[in-house]
Amino acid sequence: MAADMINWSLLALEPPGWGGVLLAGLMNSIKIALGGYSLGLVLGTGGAFGKLYGGPVLRDLMEVYTTVVRAVPELVLILLLYYAGTDLLNRVSAALGYGSVDISGLAAGIFVIGVVQGAYSTEVLRGAILAVPAGQIEAARAFGMSPLMIMRRVTLPAMLPHALPGLSNLWLICTKDTALLAVVGFSELTLVTRQAAGTTKAYMLFFCAAGVLYLLLTLVSSLIIRVIEARARRGWAAR
Amino acid sequence: MTERAEAIAVRDLYKRFGALEVLKGISLTAREGDVIAIIGGSGSGKSTFLRCINMLEVPSRGSVAIRGEEIALRSDRLGGLTPSDRRQVQRLRARLGMVFQSFNLWQHMTIIQNVIEAPVHVLGVPKAEAIERGEALLRRVGLFDKRDVYPAFLSGGQQQRAAIARALAIQPHAMLFDEPTSALDPELVGEVLGVIGDLAQEQRTMILVTHEMKFARNVASHIVFLAHGVIEEQGPPEQIFGDPKSELLKKFISSSH
Amino acid sequence: MTERAEAIAVRDLYKRFGALEVLKGISLTAREGDVIAIIGGSGSGKSTFLRCINMLEVPSRGSVAIRGEEIALRSDRLGGLTPSDRRQVQRLRARLGMVFQSFNLWQHMTIIQNVIEAPVHVLGVPKAEAIERGEALLRRVGLFDKRDVYPAFLSGGQQQRAAIARALAIQPHAMLFDEPTSALDPELVGEVLGVIGDLAQEQRTMILVTHEMKFARNVASHIVFLAHGVIEEQGPPEQIFGDPKSELLKKFISSSH
Amino acid sequence: MKGERGASAPEARVTLPPEESTLDATALTSLPRGRALLEPHRIALMAVAAGIVFCAAWFMRWDWLPQYAGAIASGVGVTLLMLVSTSLLGFFFAVPIALVQVTGPWWLSLPAQGFCTVIRGTPLLLQLWLLYYGLGSLFPQFPEIRQSFLWPYLREAWPYGVAALTLSFAAYEGEVMRGAFAGVPRGELEAARAYGMSRWKLFWRIWLPRAVHRALPTLNGETVLQLKATPLVATITVIDVYAVISKIRQVTYLTYEPLLLLALIYLILTALLVAAFRYFEKRIPTRSA
Amino acid sequence: GAAAEPLKVGFAAEPYPPFASPDASGNWEGWEVEFMQAMCKQAKLECVITPVAWDGIIPALTSKKIDMIVGSMSITPERLKTIDFSDKYYNTPTGVIGPKSEKFAATPEGLKGKTIGVQVATIHQDYATKYFGGAGATVKEYQTQDEVNADLAAGRLDAVQADAIALDAFLKSDQGKQCCDLKGNVKDDPEILGAGVGVGLRKGDTELKDKINAAIKAIRADGTYDTFSKKYFDFDVYGG
Ligand SMILES: Nc1ncnc2c1ncn2[C@@H]1O[C@H](COP(=O)(O)OP(=O)(O)OP(=O)(O)O)[C@@H](O)[C@H]1O
Ligand SMILES: Nc1ncnc2c1ncn2[C@@H]1O[C@H](COP(=O)(O)OP(=O)(O)OP(=O)(O)O)[C@@H](O)[C@H]1O
Ligand SMILES: [Mg+2]
Ligand SMILES: [Mg+2]
């Protein structure tokens, strides 16, 4: 009875089909993932350098950040950061006399995912930087490069091949973590799927459809990642 | 012997790592065109001495002057020394061509990119000019056809020759070699020593740490024997190898055959 | 020479990898107490031959008999051979002590665990007894104090001695050594060769592939020179090293000094 | 599987670390150890932390705590039960999944690979809902199922939670173990064969323990991830500690306090996991440790 | 207040027919949507619908992500500790439904030994826990009403307690028609079941509260309320 009752028209792009809504949700997911991932990279780069070259206090604070974020479920972090983060921001801006600021769900989502990703990228990048042979950096110093130039010209590009596998993994985690923003009512793919399923009662259909969309996202990402890795690994002999 | 200008002058250099005093007052002057070979047992501080010259290790006491310009040092909180002007150090380093035992080519750059990196990004040479000069140097060390290859795909000997080209590319006042052949398989040593020998013939200022006694004898104008952190003996090769005075040197020479 | 029993008898052995024919008809008999050294250039098929004896490589043609028991082989679909009775192979292997070039100790077990693993879990020796015998063997190779250490913490020479103890622990009918010292630093080679030399003195049946000509000469009762997949020449050490007939062997001996 | 059999490229002088050892960002084995805590700046930091905790305890509302302590404890129990059962079950499935990918014929390795890709490529939340609301709502339409002895279990939520978490762990772990199996040096396996071990014995005595040993740090990270995935079951009515805290939040309308407590609980659970794994890792020391 | 910006009205993001549910074009429809529109029009407020997860709807209000809640939220003493409410805008009895095949009454005795589903953090949860849970029923909590209904249809629940109107809508749906029927309304307990449904507001936002109260009164008086209510219900949802 179930099989012949699949109503494919529910997936039509135009309303009353829900296909368009799902795609819009997917776009939202991708936006958050992209934003959060980029923010995570920025935080991660800072965190990695802080952990490696910072003073003892900075290093410990970074350690606390990465440990806590990696030990507490994303779901809990999202709730905490989503409410507390915006609450705090509001209070700060109120104290400064700006009145309440409006934080869009998108911005909040990006922020939350970014903070979570930042902790993981810190570790990935730190490990990758450590994997750069000391001699490479010493050679740069011996040729009179300034610390900043060493980072730009040697450390960062040399660590890239070491970091890429970890970073690509993080990207895949990131795309899926966007689903957790459903719990704060952000209309990314998972939440709109749930709405569509709840409204139409076609649970199987919509969950499968969303699954396919996520899978596509993963597969396409993997393809792109492979191209990037191949480029970054040029200098390294094949194993 | 005419009085040539001082290329590198080290005065009364001390270096300690924690409790271990590695260098205990070393003075050495290399004039333009000198080829100085530093020999000595393992752990005698040869590498440390060489690295102090371009401040990869900061001395605990003493001074280093490059072409008459003394590197400014000041005391730091821990009682040691530290360069007072980072830019000065960077500027002086940019004219000292260092060749490491383990090559240390930048793995993410092709050979030609390695060679032009410092000229372009440190010395500000226009890229086209740097490439032209870089290619000439690669041709000279016999690596022109490997210009667009990444270091990982070269043999050790080829990598070391590329590293020498890289050091030459900055038109250095002096070249510093730290055991440039000891990470190489015996059959690859020759090709690198050949290149260095050619440089010596051109009267380039060079300080080289080496274990290859025969090579040191043929190439160096002056030999310095380090032992227990001091210069135990020094002099022209004939004297050092032919008529060693110190017991330690005698023992060292007889054991390194 | 009295007629001793055949420990290992290989008849007309062929082995090809795809298009490459590595062994082209090799016959060799090791009688109880023989110490046979296999020498030959790199890629001549020494390892492959040794691995065929305990079926780590299955021959393409020919037969192998251990103590008179021939290993049953049958043709497989691909036109090659395959053992027809896996249990027979396992049973026979369990009495051939193989020592690899790269030791291949099990890294997740301590030394004593490595040594008793096969006796207990393959041969069914009671654990207490296996430990007792294993400790005796470790004492013999000078590793008793390392019994509870994991292999990663031992030097190469110690690891290889442990591997020898492991091979002895199964009370092997014959020992097979594949270049047991070539993964070792020169200064560690001696300790392993010492242990193997002792075993040879006890008249243990051994087949060893080695690059150490001096050692082969001193220790082996019989030398086999492999070249291009066939036994180019064989005989007692004095004859092989003192009076080589074949041109290839002459060249090989003169080059391996 | 690829690089393992053929000879390695002759000119490979610089080699990158194999994928699975790529600095697992999820592994949490680097928590500080005892004595290092006593450095002066750490003491200062800890004082600050203590101050924050004190402020939290003093200025925030915790009066609800005693009333819900029992519920929280049982929630922690459910969380742990979920974690342990799904990790063990998942590992149990992961081993064959990994093994067939390393040695199996294509008709086994291909589906295994597909399974890993699909599960790893979609959010767990979605899988969970698919099982519970999707699949679960199909069952009652079949009277045979409704009548069967399974029905009382299928009515419950936890079997779906366990199933989803198990599948997910199996897929992620399958990847880890695949790398670990492939990474066991061939020589050690060959040595086992040379000593007459049967395939079965070789697997149990050498291959599996060696692979697990190699994979322990990664397994640790994955288990922490699994712990962090358990709260998702709250969305299908399993009352784990997350669900208990959500309920407290909704009853008391406190935004932060219950969430902070929850974060603390997960921190402690993670620390316990890390300690447990560290114990196992220490039992077989490795050189780099 | 910030009159220039439109007010953000928090709706539970999960569908709750017939009060509020999104359609495929992202438009929200239902009784509560029409009520909200009428009310805002009356009060001359510019309002936009902001879907928020039910779970986080009160924190969203207090952290100013939204300005009011129109989410079928009953006015209870517990909630009044944290937020403020307007006057009620509807009030309906609480009902219990169950599978057609089983006969039982909506009383503690009738539900003994049964599994009863409620939406988490609602008055129904509190009521069911107190009256039925205490009498030997298992109370199971769900994040959304929709899931409760789905699980009843899936046979995982023996009964569902909820707002009678929401239940009615479910019983009228295809799924509901097949499986279930109304077992009756529960005995009232104003202490728990509260004084009807009001617009949730931040504490201290009195200006807005006054405007809304006035607007509710006005649309009740001028018949607007009844006009749109007729589209959905054949009785007076405002209640007694
Ligand atoms: N960064 C360091 N920290 C502590 N000790 C050091 C450091 N660098 C070198 N040493 C110590 O200083 C001593 C001299 O080292 P150095 O590398 O200069 O010797 P060397 O003469 O170059 O020996 P070799 O021929 O083995 O290269 C050694 O005992 C070494 O252990
Ligand atoms: N599994 C294999 N597949 C394909 N070719 C192989 C395989 N094993 C060995 N060979 C080839 O067979 C030839 C003989 O190899 P073998 O390892 O037996 O030589 P060897 O005499 O032991 O050399 P060495 O002294 O270098 O160890 C070589 O050309 C090698 O490349
Ligand atoms: Mg040195
Ligand atoms: Mg071999």
Side-chain angles (χ1 to χ4, degrees), chain B residues 118-179:
Chain B
V120 172
H121 288 100
V122 178
L123 301 175
V125 176
K127 193 159 174 187
E129 190 187 326
I131 290 184
E132 196 177 310
R133 285 208 319 239
E135 289 184 346
L137 286 170
L138 285 181
R139 201 170 279 125
R140 174 153 178 212
V141 298
L143 283 179
F144 182 70
D145 53 328
K146 300 285 183 191
R147 63 193 289 285
D148 293 323
V149 172
Y150 285 90
F153 296 91
L154 297 186
S155 75
Q158 291 171 326
Q159 289 193 51
Q160 193 60 296
R161 283 184 283 149
I164 293 173
R166 176 174 72 169
L168 288 171
I170 58 172
Q171 305 191 298
H173 300 324
M175 298 276 284
L176 309 174
F177 292 85
D178 189 1
E179 300 186 17

Side-chain angles (χ1 to χ4, degrees), chain C residues 41-48 51 101 178-179 182 209 211:
Chain C
S42 178
S44 56
K46 306 180 295 295
S47 298
T48 306
R51 292 161 57 83
Q101 174 181 5
D178 189 0
E179 299 186 18
S182 67
V209 171
H211 278 155

Side-chain angles (χ1 to χ4, degrees), chain A residues 1 15-18 21 79 82-83 86-87 90 100 102-103 108 182-185 191 194-195 197-199 201 203, chain E residues 8 13-15 21-26 28 51-53 55-56 59-60 62-65 143-144 146-147 150 175:
Chain A
M1 133 181 194
W18 287 80
V21 179
L79 289 174
Y82 190 76
Y83 296 124
T86 45
D87 195 25
N90 268 328
S100 80
D102 180 32
I103 298 147
V183 300
V184 291
L191 182 66
R194 198 173 176 185
Q195 284 175 342
T199 307
K201 308 291 175 231
Y203 289 101
Chain E
K8 289 200 285 291
E14 301 85 5
S21 53
D23 72 4
S25 25
W28 285 76
V52 180
D55 183 27
T62 52
S63 65
K64 300 196 179 163
K65 284 207 178 60
Q143 290 295 312
T144 69
D146 210 47
E147 292 164 6
Q175 210 179 20

Side-chain angles (χ1 to χ4, degrees), chain C residues 119-176:
Chain C
V120 172
H121 289 100
V122 178
L123 301 174
V125 175
K127 194 159 174 186
E129 189 187 327
I131 290 183
E132 197 176 309
R133 286 208 317 241
E135 289 184 346
L137 287 170
L138 285 181
R139 204 169 278 122
R140 171 148 182 219
V141 298
L143 283 179
F144 182 71
D145 53 329
K146 300 285 182 189
R147 61 192 291 283
D148 293 322
V149 171
Y150 285 88
F153 294 89
L154 297 187
S155 75
Q158 290 170 325
Q159 288 194 49
Q160 192 61 295
R161 283 184 281 150
I164 294 173
R166 177 174 70 171
L168 288 170
I170 58 172
Q171 305 190 300
H173 300 324
M175 298 276 282
L176 308 175

Side-chain angles (χ1 to χ4, degrees), chain B residues 150-236:
Chain B
Y150 285 90
F153 296 91
L154 297 186
S155 75
Q158 291 171 326
Q159 289 193 51
Q160 193 60 296
R161 283 184 283 149
I164 293 173
R166 176 174 72 169
L168 288 171
I170 58 172
Q171 305 191 298
H173 300 324
M175 298 276 284
L176 309 174
F177 292 85
D178 189 1
E179 300 186 17
T181 58
S182 66
L184 301 179
D185 296 337
E187 64 269 37
L188 302 176
V189 169
E191 56 187 61
V192 173
L193 291 185
V195 171
I196 300 177
D198 290 350
L199 295 177
Q201 298 246 305
E202 294 173 9
Q203 306 271 300
R204 235 173 226 288
T205 319
M206 300 204 281
I207 300 188
L208 37 92
V209 171
T210 183
H211 279 154
E212 302 280 333
M213 291 307 142
K214 223 164 75 189
F215 176 72
R217 183 174 204 159
N218 293 339
V219 144
S221 57
H222 192 83
I223 308 263
V224 172
F225 173 60
L226 276 193
H228 303 310
V230 296
I231 298 183
E232 176 80 12
E233 193 165 339
Q234 58 179 317

Side-chain angles (χ1 to χ4, degrees), chain C residues 28-130:
Chain C
L28 182 72
T29 304
R31 295 181 181 277
E32 305 274 352
D34 277 357
V35 176
I36 298 183
I38 300 179
I39 60 175
S42 178
S44 56
K46 306 180 295 295
S47 298
T48 306
F49 174 67
L50 206 69
R51 292 161 57 83
C52 279
I53 292 177
N54 64 359
M55 294 288 139
L56 284 180
E57 304 285 359
V58 184
S60 316
R61 240 169 78 191
S63 75
V64 175
I66 313 286
R67 293 187 125 197
E69 176 177 355
E70 187 175 323
I71 299 179
L73 296 172
R74 60 177 173 76
S75 311
D76 65 7
R77 279 171 310 166
L78 301 170
L81 290 177
T82 190
S84 30
D85 181 0
R86 237 178 25 220
R87 280 167 199 287
Q88 184 203 25
V89 173
Q90 284 164 15
R91 181 165 47 78
L92 293 176
R93 275 178 182 163
R95 290 292 189 199
L96 288 174
M98 178 115 178
V99 177
F100 296 86
Q101 174 181 5
S102 46
F103 334 137
N104 291 343
L105 290 174
W106 296 307
Q107 301 284 326
H108 61 295
M109 300 178 180
T110 59
I111 297 305
I112 185 75
Q113 283 168 348
N114 262 284
V115 171
I116 66 169
E117 178 69 19
V120 172
H121 289 100
V122 178
L123 301 174
V125 175
K127 194 159 174 186
E129 189 187 327

Side-chain angles (χ1 to χ4, degrees), chain D residues 110-147:
Chain D
L110 222 57
Q113 214 175 326
F115 169 79
C116 289
T117 310
V118 169
I119 299 283
R120 285 154 44 94
T122 50
L124 177 55
L125 192 59
L126 200 70
Q127 294 160 18
L128 197 62
W129 290 351
L130 187 67
L131 278 184
Y132 185 74
Y133 294 114
L135 201 61
S137 68
L138 292 183
F139 287 149
Q141 297 173 7
F142 302 100
E144 308 82 44
I145 295 181
R146 260 192 121 117
Q147 253 90 65

